[in-house]
């Protein structure tokens, strides 16, 4: 992996976060995608923690979801991490340049996942630094080298929950999946409607 943006250092904040129960990630994927709004994605680099609060996600429902990489049971070396137990990381590359990070859900063999579309850095970081899946991975230095890592067992990349939960979570169809037919209209994109870091449309004004 690459070095994260130094503005994302959260050593003090990370100490106050709690690990997300694996049982939550083994459950319904759409529910997990909604529940990850407000959680933190963090990684350790040279003895320090860097991270951001997740504000936008999309759920991908495996075998029967035409928008999922595992649709129809597709199983390639790239997609293999999606088949692991809930709580692993699946990272893929698009257009040969943008990395996209996903949290694997359900139990081993079902190949469902939640795409992390956008996040907010600590106070003082630019609002759009992690706005979009490619920007999120670039700011945190996450690459395909991290695909398959466990997120809940003390590794270099962690998923955790803070004390505050968003009060204005909205759902819309996913972005950029017009090829998926009817599935393109499924309301599987979730976002914190008060966050200025959200990458897609339908954001509310901050209170």
């Amino acid at each position: 992996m690459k070095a994260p943006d130094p503005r994302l250092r959260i050593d003090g904040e990370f100490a106050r976060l709690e690990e997300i129960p694996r049982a939550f990630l083994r459950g319904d994927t759409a529910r997990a995608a909604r529940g990850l709004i407000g959680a933190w994605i963090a990684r350790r680099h040279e003895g320090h923690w860097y991270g951001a609060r997740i504000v936008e996600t999309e759920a991908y429902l495996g075998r029967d979801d035409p928008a999922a990489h595992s649709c129809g049971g597709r199983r390639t070396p790239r997609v293999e991490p999606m088949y692991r137990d809930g709580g692993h990381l699946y990272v893929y590359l698009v257009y040969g340049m943008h990395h996209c990070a996903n949290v694997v859900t359900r139990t081993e063999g079902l190949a469902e996942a939640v795409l992390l579309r956008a996040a907010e850095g600590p106070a003082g970081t630019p609002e759009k630094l992690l706005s979009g899946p490619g920007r999120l991975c670039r700011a945190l230095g996450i690459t395909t080298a991290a695909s398959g890592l466990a997120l809940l067992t003390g590794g270099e990349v962690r998923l955790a929950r803070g004390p505050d939960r968003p009060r204005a979570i909205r759902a819309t169809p996913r972005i950029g999946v017009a090829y998926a037919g009817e599935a393109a209209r499924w309301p599987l994109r979730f976002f914190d409607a008060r966050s200025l870091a959200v990458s897609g449309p339908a954001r509310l004004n901050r209170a």
Side-chain angles (χ1 to χ4, degrees):
M1 291 190 288
K2 299 180 179 179
D5 189 304
R7 293 171 290 186
L8 298 180
R9 187 165 162 180
I10 58 163
D11 289 324
E13 183 73 30
F14 185 79
R16 295 190 289 271
L17 300 179
E18 298 180 356
E19 187 171 274
I20 291 176
R22 190 177 299 277
F24 171 73
L25 295 176
R26 284 175 171 163
D28 180 78
T29 299
R31 180 173 177 269
R34 186 181 185 94
L36 286 175
I37 302 299
W40 286 70
I41 179 74
R43 63 161 297 202
R44 185 168 51 207
H45 177 71
E46 296 184 348
H48 297 287
W49 284 99
Y50 300 81
R53 177 180 168 274
I54 299 164
V55 298
E56 185 180 3
T57 62
E58 289 180 346
Y60 288 85
L61 307 183
R63 176 181 290 273
D64 297 322
D65 181 355
H69 290 174
S70 54
C71 179
R74 185 184 303 118
R75 197 160 188 164
T76 66
R78 181 185 77 158
V79 177
E80 190 62 31
M82 278 189 77
Y83 285 86
R84 296 192 179 184
D85 195 9
H88 283 79
L89 186 65
Y90 167 47
V91 185
Y92 61 88
L93 191 65
V94 293
Y95 305 125
M97 58 189 298
H98 300 301
H99 291 89
C100 299
N102 300 257
V103 177
V104 176
T105 56
R106 304 297 300 275
T107 54
E108 186 173 356
L110 292 182
E112 299 187 16
V114 174
L115 172 66
L116 304 182
R117 281 202 57 90
E120 292 178 342
T125 57
E127 291 171 347
K128 294 296 185 178
L129 182 65
L130 302 100
S131 181
R135 289 182 178 181
L136 185 153
C137 283
R138 182 164 61 249
L140 286 169
I142 295 173
T143 68
T144 51
S147 195
L149 291 181
L151 293 167
L152 305 179
T153 57
E156 293 184 9
V157 184
R158 300 282 293 279
L159 195 64
R161 181 176 289 156
D164 300 322
R165 296 286 297 141
R167 290 175 294 175
I169 298 177
R170 300 288 185 267
T172 71
R174 294 171 292 188
I175 295 173
V177 296
Y179 58 85
E182 174 64 27
R185 293 189 287 273
W186 295 350
L188 295 176
R189 169 181 169 251
F190 303 91
F191 59 95
D192 181 345
R194 299 193 184 279
S195 173
L196 295 179
V198 170
S199 67
R203 186 178 61 230
L204 297 178
N205 293 325
R206 281 184 171 174

